[in-house]
């Protein structure tokens, strides 16, 4: 199994090293990255290439990992498809605009969507495995409404404000870059896509007047290092992303979601509450629990993922290891499907981009025409 990568930052290095841990036959044979920062995670003796095209032509890989900054994903995925690479793994978000979404949809209709896998890792989590099992049994019934958040700590929020992700032209915006995971989950849970969206947000915490006044406090905002296109001061950067956003989504199924994200939350949360006609599920990825309750008040499940046999091990609440194990099984043809597809990822991305359009315009955005255009490529199963 020959693997190459475009981009060798922390995320790509982590995914590749985790995948190689569960797939000993995996051999990383090349990389493209003008500024590699984590070669030590995959091996400093791996040859570098001057371009993606040269790397793909020379190595003829079985798997091409696209782990570069979001702005470059589309062109690199297209290069992999046109070079005939059997499998491509693209980190989220797959693309950074509605225009790129349609371009990739066109490419997938031509070359086959099954060739592209995506890094929406939360679908692989034990939380979602257990929730899907309960939903398959009909415990919740039809989903009526949801509320959820992604609240990240100041150290992580500062990383976004210093890193290349602070610029929407490179990342696609914070809602797309960070919260596409969450939006994908709620598409999955409602078994539908957003039909209308509205959003309010802006910058209220990462402002110059709130900058730390002591060196000790300042250290908090430099815990997570950044290398490419980075700046030093998260409170006075040129970034255009928000540091808080509140969103409302109405789904094709009739369900609704209220979603809140904030980048300056000292006690982190990633909580969700799913309410159906016959029961509810409440959980938190950060705090490590999932409770499922029937409408008569009886408890269907009460999972603690912080200890015991179900304890989460490793990054993304244990989901990274689970994702790589599933990908290994898929590449070995031991299974014919994964829990998330590139089409799922594109649909979550459209939701994120529409929410930012709603925030900027101060209007309710109707997605009907976008879905009509997207569905014309025949990708939905």
């Amino acid at each position: 199994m020959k693997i190459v990568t475009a981009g060798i930052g922390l995320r790509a290095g982590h995914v590749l090293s985790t995948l190689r841990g569960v797939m000993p036959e995996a051999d990383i044979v090349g990389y493209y990255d003008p500024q590699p920062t984590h070669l030590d995670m995959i091996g400093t003796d791996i040859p570098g290439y001057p371009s993606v095209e040269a790397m793909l032509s020379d190595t003829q890989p079985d798997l091409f990992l696209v782990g570069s900054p979001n702005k470059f994903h589309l062109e690199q995925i297209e290069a992999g498809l046109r070079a005939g690479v059997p499998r491509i793994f693209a980190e989220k978000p797959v693309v950074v605009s509605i225009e790129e979404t349609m371009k990739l949809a066109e490419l997938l209709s031509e070359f086959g969507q099954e060739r592209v896998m995506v890094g929406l890792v939360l679908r692989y989590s034990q939380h979602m495995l257990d929730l899907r099992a309960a939903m398959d049994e009909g415990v919740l019934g039809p989903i009526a409404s949801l509320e959820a958040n992604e609240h990240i700590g100041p150290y992580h929020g500062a990383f976004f404000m210093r890193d290349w992700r602070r610029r929407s032209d490179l990342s696609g915006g914070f809602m797309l870059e960070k919260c596409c995971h969450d939006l994908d989950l709620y598409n999955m849970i409602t078994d539908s896509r957003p039909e209308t969206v509205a959003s309010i947000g802006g910058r209220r915490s990462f402002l110059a007047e709130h900058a730390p006044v002591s060196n000790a406090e300042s250290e908090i905002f430099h815990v997570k290092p950044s290398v490419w296109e980075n700046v030093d001061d998260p409170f006075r950067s040129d970034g255009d992303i928000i540091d808080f956003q509140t969103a409302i989504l109405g789904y094709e199924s009739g369900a609704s979601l209220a979603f809140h994200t904030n980048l300056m939350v000292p006690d982190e949360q990633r909580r969700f509450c799913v309410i159906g006609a016959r029961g509810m599920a409440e959980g938190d990825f950060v705090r490590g629990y999932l409770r499922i309750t029937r409408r008569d008040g009886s408890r269907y499940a009460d999972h603690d993922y912080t200890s015991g046999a179900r304890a989460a091990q490793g990054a993304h609440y244990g989901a990274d290891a689970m994702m790589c194990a599933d990908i290994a099984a898929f590449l070995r043809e031991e299974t014919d499907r994964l829990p998330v597809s590139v089409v799922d990822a594109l649909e979550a991305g459209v939701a994120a981009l529409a929410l930012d359009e709603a925030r900027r315009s101060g209007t309710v955005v109707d997605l009907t025409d976008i879905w009509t255009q997207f569905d014309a490529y025949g990708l939905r199963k």
Side-chain angles (χ1 to χ4, degrees), residues 99-227:
E99 293 73 23
E100 287 193 357
T101 299
M102 300 306 169
K103 173 60 176 176
L104 184 53
E106 181 181 7
L107 288 167
L108 295 173
S109 68
E110 178 182 356
F111 291 99
Q113 62 175 286
E114 68 283 349
R115 288 174 59 187
V116 182
M117 302 176 287
V118 292
L120 284 172
V121 67
L122 289 189
R123 283 238 197 168
Y124 294 85
S125 67
Q126 192 63 53
H127 286 75
M128 289 299 113
L129 287 175
D130 291 336
L131 180 56
R132 283 199 300 268
M135 292 179 65
D136 288 345
E137 291 183 27
V139 176
L140 302 187
I143 304 305
S145 59
L146 309 90
E147 61 179 33
N149 65 35
E150 183 177 11
H151 292 168
I152 70 173
Y155 79 96
H156 203 171
F159 166 76
F160 281 96
M161 292 299 170
R162 292 184 292 103
D163 191 55
W164 58 264
R165 293 165 174 85
R166 75 189 183 278
R167 289 173 45 189
S168 295
D169 63 321
L170 299 177
S171 67
F174 182 80
M175 184 65 75
L176 178 69
E177 160 61 22
K178 190 71 173 70
C179 302
C180 62
H181 282 301
D182 307 84
L183 296 173
D184 171 60
L185 294 184
Y186 306 123
N187 285 358
M188 176 194 76
I189 288 168
T190 61
D191 194 25
S192 65
R193 303 174 298 192
E195 191 172 52
T196 55
V197 303
S199 180
I200 297 171
R203 187 85 68 85
R204 293 184 63 83
S205 297
F206 281 98
L207 299 173
E209 59 261 38
H210 302 308
V213 295
S214 70
N215 289 336
E217 187 185 12
S218 180
E219 289 178 2
I220 297 171
F221 301 103
H222 293 83
V223 168
K224 196 172 171 65
S226 173
V227 179

Side-chain angles (χ1 to χ4, degrees), residues 260-271:
H260 176 210
T261 186
N262 192 296
L263 284 69
M264 185 74 84
V265 183
D267 191 0
E268 291 183 315
Q269 299 178 25
R270 203 170 194 171
R271 178 184 171 275

